[in-house]
Amino acid sequence: HSSILTAVYPYVHGARRNWTTRLTGANLTLAETLREAGYETRATVASFVLDRRFGTAQGFDVYHDVSVERMHSERRGDEVRDDALDMLRSLAGEPFFLWVHFFDPHYPYDSPHDSPRRKENDPTIAYADEIAFMDTQIGHLLGEVDRLGLKRNTVVVVVADHGEGLGQHGETSHIFFLYETTQHTPLIFRAPGTIPAGRKLSAQVRTIDITPTILALLGLPAWNHAQGVSLVPLLRGERQDLGLAAYGETLEPNALFGLSPLRSLSAGEWKYILAPKPELYNLSADPGEMRNLITGEPGRAAEMRAQLRALIARAPAPFDAGDVSMELDAADVARLRSLGYTASGKPAASRGESELDRFEPEGGNPKDYHRYFRKRSELMGAILEEDLARANRLARQLIEALPEVPHLHVDMANVFLAQGRVDEAIEAIDRAVSLAPDNGRPLAESMPNLPLIQLNTARALREAGRLDEAAAAFQRAMAIGPGSFKAHREYGNFLLFGTRQYPEAVEQLEIAIQETPNDVDLLHDLGWAYTALKHFEKADRILGQALKIEPKNHRIVQAVGILRMQQNRLPEAADQFRRALQLKPGSPEARAALKHVLEKIKRSPEAIKR
């Protein structure tokens, strides 16, 4: 999606892996250019992968993502459609750019129809149902464009960001390989009066060409830095082929299994895949990429390898605006897993290396490991379905086959924790740490999922009443992931309510509040800690801030009551506890606190008088 919006390849814009990197503000997006040109810019997206924190919201006046419903990972197509229709109707009188993102046809496949077909072993059936469902929603949108009288002056672009493996080439979904099953996607343009209807083009084009084409159709200046080009000459029939070469990459084999990353180049009828065992296919004669011609066409393979290297060498400088890495909490990781993604691993790269320095493939050949990729997908599915016995079996099989891959031991720890086997989870974590590459980078950078697993271990130890071990586990989570605000927050909460070490709790919570200054639950804990330390002025300020954000939060109202009681302002404390009971009738904590403060008032003539 970032490549579509920026017209440059991932090694330039920097958002190279979902969930571990983001699109930085140094990039220029289509939405930013159109907004500057006077267009209203709005978007409604269906997947947490496009949450605004990942950078794709830049340039949009309105951006409806899934984060508005924090417990959800995606929105169904009909919900996105309704949102888009509301936006469309409100925009009908002015120039607008509307991005409508559907996610329905995506692994894990789940037919929207309540029929036995979704339970069959053939995933293509549910996948086809999902496509048909999405197609219906697109039909509603186009119908509304026509009904509003916008058809003649509205450019419509329909595109997919990737396809699905559906078991071909040993790939279940779309993250490990670069075959046409995932790389070849539909691209449709409609601009009545500008683009002749019904043309079907077989020439090579790229998703990075979409933004330059839109700018050209709108009569806006082209971007000098864009790697994509305008397709208008093709669309109008002025040219039959622009001679474009398309780049592809995946870093997942390296990030998750320590294998070589993959790159590809498609030009004309030929496709070259750069790997430890390179591959060459004639897509015209062999569209299924079943016959590797690398030994029979050495000259062509060498030529395409050189062309791939030259493409990277002449690319514009990367938009490096500081750290592009992302840190996700437990809820975020769970949401990504529900979408079929696994938030662990980060591709190895030494600091200061250029993309050309990383050009040569290093590590095992991914295609030789396809059965393990499939098994790990099954493992993630078993965890998602809470089939822990099966998950345990799959994790053990993977570790037995690939004992030196640290991420698999992290997976095993995750399964152990879900089964309540804390000590075995700790052993698995220790094994993962011992296997992590010693490249001078923090462990959290090599294995972003590790701090979360360590944090889950600390939680399990806390629940088991093993408080000293829990404290040590919280500290290890912070050491593995420096800057892990989630770890500081939970450790602070543990110190506050678990061991009542108030000064230490304040120290941890103050670190955490820097990242999320308006988090009401965190403000509650910090206010409570300052109340316990009798730092009443600070407690008043922090709890007051929380009340401004959520004035009807019964926990905050109750915490203010505790503060007033500690200040010996008993009638005010009673008022707060009564209000907390109104907000949450039957709350045993508020009722007990109110009873306690009323008894104190009875014994205090001064309080009665006030």
Side-chain angles (χ1 to χ4, degrees):
H1 297 94
S2 294
S3 295
I4 292 170
L5 294 171
T6 64
V8 296
Y9 285 125
Y11 57 83
V12 177
H13 62 62
R16 304 185 73 166
R17 291 188 68 230
N18 286 339
W19 69 80
T20 62
T21 57
R22 60 187 173 88
L23 185 68
T24 66
N27 288 279
L28 177 64
T29 69
L30 175 61
E32 289 175 302
T33 292
L34 293 184
R35 184 168 65 180
E36 188 175 337
Y39 287 74
E40 284 288 321
T41 57
R42 300 190 187 179
T44 176
V45 302
S47 168
F48 175 65
V49 173
L50 292 175
D51 185 274
R52 66 183 61 247
R53 80 185 74 179
F54 299 128
T56 47
Q58 60 193 58
F60 286 99
D61 299 312
V62 177
Y63 192 88
H64 289 176
D65 56 16
V66 187
S67 64
V68 296
E69 298 180 61
R70 287 287 297 173
M71 296 308 294
H72 293 81
S73 305
E74 64 176 296
R75 296 191 290 167
R76 274 173 49 112
D78 49 359
E79 182 182 347
V80 172
R81 174 207 67 201
D82 289 343
D83 193 22
L85 287 173
D86 288 342
M87 290 182 176
L88 187 60
R89 291 162 187 151
S90 68
L91 291 167
E94 53 194 321
F96 67 84
F97 169 43
L98 175 59
W99 176 23
V100 185
H101 170 256
F102 294 102
F103 194 74
D104 304 84
H106 196 283
Y107 180 84
Y109 315 118
D110 183 21
S111 169
H113 299 123
D114 186 15
S115 74
R117 298 195 303 170
R118 60 184 289 183
K119 296 179 171 41
E120 295 184 19
N121 293 328
D122 184 358
T124 61
I125 295 176
Y127 185 51
D129 280 350
E130 290 179 327
I131 291 172
F133 177 73
M134 178 190 68
D135 188 54
T136 300
Q137 314 317 317
I138 294 174
H140 286 302
L141 286 176
L142 295 180
E144 188 66 8
V145 169
D146 295 351
R147 191 190 70 80
L148 293 169
L150 301 174
K151 181 176 181 178
R152 294 292 301 173
N153 63 342
T154 299
V155 177
V156 177
V157 185
V158 180
V159 67
D161 61 313
H162 62 74
E164 295 286 78
L166 298 174
Q168 297 180 52
H169 300 284
E171 181 163 35
T172 303
S173 55
H174 56 267
I175 65 174
F176 288 115
F177 295 125
L178 298 175
Y179 297 110
E180 292 298 281
T181 48
T182 61
Q183 300 299 290
H184 188 189
T185 64
L187 173 57
I188 304 170
F189 284 88
R190 186 182 85 169
T194 303
I195 300 173
R199 285 178 56 79
K200 184 175 181 180
L201 306 176
S202 58
Q204 174 74 69
V205 297
R206 299 85 51 94
T207 53
I208 60 169
D209 300 323
I210 293 173
T211 281
T213 304
I214 291 173
L215 295 178
L217 288 170
L218 300 180
L220 295 173
W223 293 346
N224 292 330
H225 69 275
Q227 291 176 288
V229 300
S230 169
L231 301 177
V232 169
L234 284 178
L235 300 176
R236 289 179 174 166
E238 299 164 3
R239 299 274 299 276
Q240 295 303 309
D241 197 329
L242 298 180
L244 302 175
Y247 171 84
E249 71 173 33
T250 176
L251 310 183
E252 299 307 307
N254 176 256
L256 296 175
F257 287 87
L259 307 173
S260 174
L262 296 175
R263 304 178 194 266
S264 70
L265 187 75
S266 300
E269 61 184 7
W270 292 93
K271 167 89 161 283
Y272 175 77
I273 298 176
L274 179 63
K277 297 178 183 178
E279 301 171 45
L280 180 69
Y281 299 99
N282 185 315
L283 298 179
S284 178
D286 179 25
E289 296 166 289
M290 303 303 294
R291 297 186 297 276
N292 184 3
L293 303 178
I294 198 72
T295 56
E297 294 272 359
R300 188 177 299 278
E303 178 186 342
M304 294 195 73
R305 178 187 174 95
Q307 190 179 353
L308 177 57
R309 185 178 178 88
L311 173 70
I312 294 173
R314 66 173 180 266
F319 289 95
D320 184 7
D323 188 13
V324 300
S325 62
M326 293 291 299
E327 180 186 330
L328 305 180
D329 62 21
D332 293 335
V333 172
R335 294 165 81 192
L336 285 166
R337 282 186 182 143
S338 73
L339 299 174
Y341 294 108
T342 53
S344 64
K346 190 172 184 178
S350 301
R351 299 183 188 280
E353 280 187 330
S354 70
E355 195 63 24
L356 277 181
D357 292 332
R358 296 189 289 270
F359 180 78
E360 296 298 332
E362 294 182 3
N365 189 56
K367 192 169 184 177
D368 296 338
Y369 291 80
H370 68 85
R371 61 188 179 278
Y372 301 119
F373 299 161
R374 180 185 289 272
K375 193 176 289 289
R376 190 168 190 273
S377 295
E378 293 175 9
L379 167 60
M380 294 299 108
I383 293 175
L384 181 63
E385 296 166 7
E386 298 184 358
D387 187 350
L388 299 181
R390 180 166 172 258
N392 188 297
R393 183 173 67 257
L394 289 167
R396 289 186 183 280
Q397 289 172 357
L398 280 165
I399 288 174
E400 183 177 342
L402 302 169
E404 302 302 311
V405 176
H407 299 295
L408 298 179
H409 294 276
V410 175
D411 292 340
M412 189 78 254
N414 192 30
V415 175
F416 280 141
L417 284 174
Q419 293 179 312
R421 298 159 67 175
V422 182
D423 292 322
E424 290 167 283
I426 293 171
E427 291 178 9
I429 292 171
D430 291 342
R431 179 62 175 157
V433 170
S434 70
L435 291 170
D438 184 11
N439 52 19
R441 297 183 295 145
L443 280 173
E445 199 169 318
S446 301
M447 294 186 289
N449 210 21
L450 187 57
L452 172 64
I453 301 298
Q454 183 66 67
L455 200 54
N456 286 338
T457 304
R459 294 169 183 151
L461 290 167
R462 177 189 60 199
E463 293 301 317
R466 296 160 61 175
L467 300 186
D468 290 342
E469 293 172 87
F474 278 118
Q475 292 165 2
R476 282 197 298 273
M478 292 185 293
I480 290 171
S484 174
F485 294 95
K486 183 72 174 177
H488 287 289
R489 171 183 182 156
E490 293 213 21
Y491 187 38
N493 183 279
F494 169 78
L495 292 168
L496 176 61
F497 298 111
T499 60
R500 302 188 185 281
Q501 295 172 262
Y502 301 127
E504 294 83 357
V506 164
E507 181 181 351
Q508 298 301 323
L509 295 172
E510 285 285 11
I511 294 172
I513 204 74
Q514 296 173 27
E515 175 72 4
T516 53
N518 293 321
D519 186 301
V520 171
D521 291 334
L522 185 52
L523 289 168
H524 168 274
D525 291 352
L526 188 56
W528 187 290
Y530 277 125
T531 298
L533 288 171
K534 300 191 182 305
H535 294 174
F536 298 140
E537 186 175 340
K538 289 183 178 179
D540 223 336
R541 174 177 55 80
I542 290 165
L543 293 175
Q545 179 184 343
L547 278 177
K548 286 181 182 178
I549 299 169
E550 290 188 18
K552 294 184 178 181
N553 186 308
H554 80 280
R555 293 183 70 237
I556 302 298
V557 172
Q558 188 168 303
V560 173
I562 298 293
L563 170 62
R564 297 291 177 256
M565 191 167 64
Q566 292 295 316
Q567 292 173 304
N568 205 34
R569 294 160 60 176
L570 301 182
E572 293 173 66
D575 288 341
Q576 292 296 323
F577 295 136
R578 288 192 187 97
R579 184 158 177 258
L581 275 170
Q582 290 173 350
L583 293 170
K584 187 180 180 182
S587 168
E589 296 87 357
R591 187 173 299 280
L594 178 59
K595 181 179 179 181
H596 176 73
V597 77
L598 289 176
E599 289 176 352
K600 289 191 70 172
I601 288 174
K602 288 179 181 178
R603 297 193 298 269
S604 171
E606 183 181 348
I608 294 172
K609 183 178 180 181
R610 289 207 304 273

